[in-house]
Amino acid sequence: MIDIFLLEAILNGILLGGVLALLALGLNIVFGVIDVVWICYAELIMFGMYGNYVLHKDLGWPLLLAFAVCVVVVAVLGVLLHWLVIRPVLGGAPINQLLVTGGVLTFMQALATLVFGIEFRNLGISMPSLELGEIFLSQSRIWACGVSLVAVALLWLFLKKTYLGTAIRAISQDREIMPLMGVKPGRIYLITSAIGGGLAGLAACLLVLQYDVHPAIGLTFGPITFMVCVMGGLGNLLGGFLAAFIFAQFIQVGGFYFELEWGYVFAFCFFIAMMFWRPQGLLGKRA
Amino acid sequence: MGRLANLIGLVALLAVPMLGVSDYVLHLGITILIWGFVYTAWSLMGRFGLVSLGHGAFLGIGAYTVTMLWNHAGISPWLGIPVAVALAVLVAVLIGYPCFRFRITGHYFALVTLALGEIVLMLIVALRDWTGGSLGVTPASALSADVSFSLVALQVSSKGVFFYVAVGLWLLGLWVWKRVDSSMARYALEAANEQEDAAASVGVDVTRTKLTITVLSAALTALGGIAYGQYQLYINPETVSGIAKSLEIVFAVIAGGMYVRLGPTFGAAFTLLLAEGLRVAFGHDVHGLDGTIYGLMLVIFIIFMPEGILGRLARLWETRRAPTSPRTASA
């Protein structure tokens, strides 16, 4: 007979996996197409969370309207990030592209501190827990997991079925040849940045239901997002999806047996071990 | 001429504590020297394209090992320092060897080291029964009103004395830099950074060379962490590990310039004085102003001046002196 609390941890892990999968999705598509890691990705999400807070709590907008506006605003932030910061260093040393977004991370985190202070803020919405026998599951997590599955499916359809999606996939496969075929990489990059930002905005809407927002929140789930992407094989959407669920189990079940930090320690150790076993990612092919 | 200038500079530096400057100025000096040392240690790797986002791990291992051994086992830092450095070296090898063996470079290397930095941060928090968790920890004090110096505990209340310790460490960092600079390993690393396969094909043992520089950098960074702990007599996970600290190192080095010997130190002075200047100008209450400016400057630096302030100055100087020389400066 399996321990009921262990079962609860495993189910929670699956739900967390859905959330992590969504977090990783935006970062992954940006990396896959533009070949740049947005180190400040989690800070975009943080801005989205503050956006929700301001619109819903301070200005009293209906929640769903606030959500929609935030997704658009963060998508615009993604475009600005690409246009103002990434584009000038695209031709430079690859590591500079990663470091420059590190600067944006510092900037956004400090700006949030400057504007909102270091207090924890929340929307004050608490959804009841779902009861399955003796198991309690957070309803907001179920929502988050469901929405993220839908988002993954829609993105997949977009990439496979539309002309634009095909162009995006083509660019990600060969950055040198595609311009010769009449695809403008600059435009594709901007569209991809908008999609990446929009996904970060969506993640923000789902996270703000579960977590308090504060300026350093990006540092708490930023690293795990990078790990998920890298373990899935940076740019590999399906691999990232799988890695998200594996990671989530490490965190929840590890946290169940020990303490929450230990769950993270195990997950990160597992990540490093995986890097050596399959540096190309879970589903990647060896170059 | 260069040698004489160095000597004069050093004498001037050593004379600072004797000029009767305030403790505040000494504190700034010590902080700049310790972090200048750490940043120099980071740049030993960084200048060859081995960009680590996890050097906080080595700082944390250094500072916490020494403090834990002293607080819980009564083991003097004299013994704790070698243990801590050995531990940092061990971790560096455990991470570095497979990374270099499997050719993990660029983004991937940065992200693996980022994971390492987070592991150490989480471990410190998770072991809160010993480490005090995120509240931090104070090394058990051997000092009192009568005792201003303890050799066993390596604690000293006089800033003037610690200033010399910091100068010593900093000189050690510069010396190591110079040794690396004039060694064959430097050419091997530059070659490996440009074209790993080509370097390997002409007989460079890429894995080994990279591992050597990584171990060196990790050991010195751990020493820096120890020095910081012994100086501040208080450490917490955020100040000696984690992604924020690691990014701070990278920022300061980029601002100063990682390809010239004094660049990292210049970066330390620049960032610290900027933060202090803003604090004096705007007071304690405005949180986040320094970070906002840092972040913006980091972005601007990488876009317009990737070689850093001192790097740019050195290059301007070089081109003025030898307009035909195509080489960039390497002081």
Side-chain angles (χ1 to χ4, degrees):
Chain A
M1 173 66 195
I2 187 167
D3 186 349
I4 195 89
F5 294 109
L6 178 61
L7 189 64
E8 188 180 270
I10 292 174
L11 286 176
N12 264 315
I14 293 175
L15 294 180
L16 179 66
V19 180
L20 285 182
L22 181 66
L23 286 180
L25 202 58
L27 192 63
N28 236 335
I29 190 162
V30 168
F31 181 84
V33 177
I34 315 178
D35 203 14
V36 168
V37 178
W38 284 359
I39 287 281
C40 59
Y41 182 72
E43 277 60 34
L44 288 177
I45 297 178
M46 183 251 299
F47 263 45
M49 290 171 81
Y50 272 118
N52 274 315
Y53 177 84
V54 169
L55 292 179
H56 180 69
K57 200 79 189 279
D58 289 350
L59 302 179
W61 291 20
L63 193 59
L64 286 178
L65 182 64
F67 278 2
V69 171
C70 276
V71 171
V72 174
V73 166
V74 183
V76 171
L77 280 182
V79 171
L80 286 178
L81 176 68
H82 182 79
W83 186 254
L84 295 176
V85 176
I86 308 273
R87 201 177 44 97
V89 294
L90 265 184
I95 201 68
N96 281 356
Q97 297 151 15
L98 184 134
L99 293 178
V100 82
T101 60
V104 178
L105 182 157
T106 311
F107 171 72
M108 291 177 78
Q109 204 188 331
L111 191 66
T113 312
L114 205 58
V115 177
F116 296 101
I118 52 174
E119 302 94 64
F120 286 51
R121 291 158 194 266
N122 63 60
L123 288 187
I125 302 169
S126 67
M127 293 198 204
S129 294
L130 195 69
E131 252 182 273
L132 291 173
E134 290 173 59
I135 298 175
F136 290 89
L137 296 175
S138 139
Q139 217 177 68
S140 49
R141 245 186 205 186
I142 295 175
W143 271 105
C145 185
V147 170
S148 100
L149 290 180
V150 172
V152 172
L154 285 179
L155 185 68
W156 187 81
L157 279 177
F158 167 73
L159 289 176
K160 288 279 180 194
K161 300 289 174 194
T162 66
Y163 179 77
L164 199 57
T166 310
I168 289 178
R169 282 187 299 131
I171 281 279
S172 75
Q173 279 169 11
D174 199 321
R175 276 175 205 82
E176 270 107 56
I177 297 297
M178 281 324 287
L180 302 178
M181 308 285 168
V183 176
K184 289 199 183 71
R187 204 169 70 97
I188 297 291
Y189 287 174
L190 281 181
I191 293 169
T192 307
S193 300
I195 296 174
L199 288 167
L202 185 62
C205 299
L206 297 170
L207 285 176
V208 81
L209 292 174
Q210 304 174 52
Y211 300 100
D212 292 353
V213 54
H214 56 99
I217 193 168
L219 295 182
T220 61
F221 58 80
I224 196 98
T225 311
F226 304 129
M227 313 283 132
V228 167
C229 288
V230 174
M231 201 167 87
L234 267 172
N236 185 325
L237 298 184
L238 198 62
F241 198 69
L242 200 63
F245 285 93
I246 297 175
F247 253 104
Q249 288 303 332
F250 265 97
I251 294 171
Q252 287 290 341
V253 177
F256 167 73
Y257 281 113
F258 302 94
E259 279 169 82
L260 186 62
E261 291 88 7
W262 284 105
Y264 281 97
V265 172
F266 295 144
F268 290 158
C269 287
F270 174 69
F271 164 77
I272 290 185
M274 281 300 293
M275 279 308 289
F276 299 135
W277 184 43
R278 289 187 72 82
Q280 72 279 33
L282 281 176
L283 299 178
K285 293 177 198 71
R286 243 181 217 286
Chain B
M1 183 221 132
R3 195 168 282 255
L4 187 66
N6 285 350
L7 200 64
I8 294 171
L10 188 60
V11 169
L13 188 64
L14 291 175
V16 167
M18 295 170 205
L19 299 175
V21 294
S22 69
D23 268 6
Y24 174 68
V25 173
L26 274 184
H27 169 74
L28 288 183
I30 294 168
T31 313
I32 289 172
L33 288 168
I34 293 179
W35 289 114
F37 170 67
V38 170
Y39 299 163
T40 306
W42 183 90
S43 313
L44 286 177
M45 291 171 69
R47 63 190 285 226
F48 299 116
L50 297 169
V51 171
S52 155
L53 295 185
H55 259 49
F58 303 122
L59 283 177
I61 290 172
Y64 269 90
T65 307
V66 168
T67 306
M68 291 301 104
L69 286 176
W70 171 246
N71 280 8
H72 296 292
I75 294 172
S76 158
W78 286 106
L79 209 64
I81 292 171
V83 172
V85 171
L87 209 58
V89 166
L90 181 72
V91 171
V93 171
L94 278 179
I95 291 297
Y97 179 76
C99 269
F100 304 140
R101 177 80 187 67
F102 295 117
R103 302 277 179 87
I104 290 173
T105 53
H107 296 321
Y108 283 80
F109 184 73
L111 291 173
V112 171
T113 51
L114 185 126
L116 175 70
E118 286 298 304
I119 290 177
V120 171
L121 177 76
M122 290 289 177
L123 270 178
I124 294 172
V125 178
L127 294 170
R128 58 173 68 80
D129 292 344
W130 291 309
T131 59
S134 24
L135 293 177
V137 62
T138 308
S141 182
L143 305 175
S144 61
D146 312 320
V147 186
S148 65
F149 175 64
S150 162
L151 194 62
V152 182
L154 271 185
Q155 293 175 6
V156 54
S157 57
S158 154
K159 286 200 175 6
V161 175
F162 209 97
F163 187 84
Y164 290 110
V165 176
V167 170
L169 262 185
W170 177 68
L171 288 175
L172 170 73
L174 296 186
W175 179 74
V176 170
W177 175 292
K178 195 167 178 186
R179 286 297 302 268
V180 170
D181 216 36
S182 54
S183 69
M184 278 303 286
R186 174 191 162 188
Y187 297 101
L189 284 162
E190 277 176 354
N193 186 24
E194 295 277 324
Q195 278 287 332
E196 194 155 334
D197 290 323
S201 75
V202 292
V204 174
D205 188 341
V206 173
T207 306
R208 197 194 158 125
T209 324
K210 282 185 175 175
L211 201 56
T212 311
I213 200 78
T214 306
V215 161
L216 206 56
S217 172
L220 293 181
T221 306
L223 269 184
I226 297 166
Y228 176 80
Q230 296 301 115
Y231 172 61
Q232 292 284 342
L233 294 176
Y234 167 74
I235 46 178
N236 76 44
E238 301 294 329
T239 52
V240 291
S241 66
I243 178 173
K245 194 78 219 169
S246 303
L247 277 175
E248 210 177 287
I249 298 178
V250 181
F251 168 61
V253 171
I254 289 177
M258 68 171 109
Y259 304 105
V260 287
R261 184 147 57 119
L262 289 178
T265 311
F266 188 83
F270 177 75
T271 48
L272 186 77
L273 295 179
L274 180 67
E276 285 297 303
L278 289 171
R279 199 173 57 81
V280 171
F282 294 95
H284 286 283
D285 302 331
V286 190
H287 292 289
L289 189 65
D290 53 348
T292 314
I293 295 174
Y294 275 5
L296 264 185
M297 288 181 61
L298 180 53
V299 171
I300 292 167
F301 271 120
I302 295 177
I303 294 177
F304 298 105
M305 213 200 283
E307 75 268 54
I309 300 173
L310 207 62
R312 167 65 63 96
L313 289 177
R315 204 182 54 171
L316 288 177
W317 176 248
E318 284 279 305
T319 42
R320 219 191 58 188
R321 274 205 316 190
T324 48
S325 163
R327 286 285 297 162
T328 47
S330 53

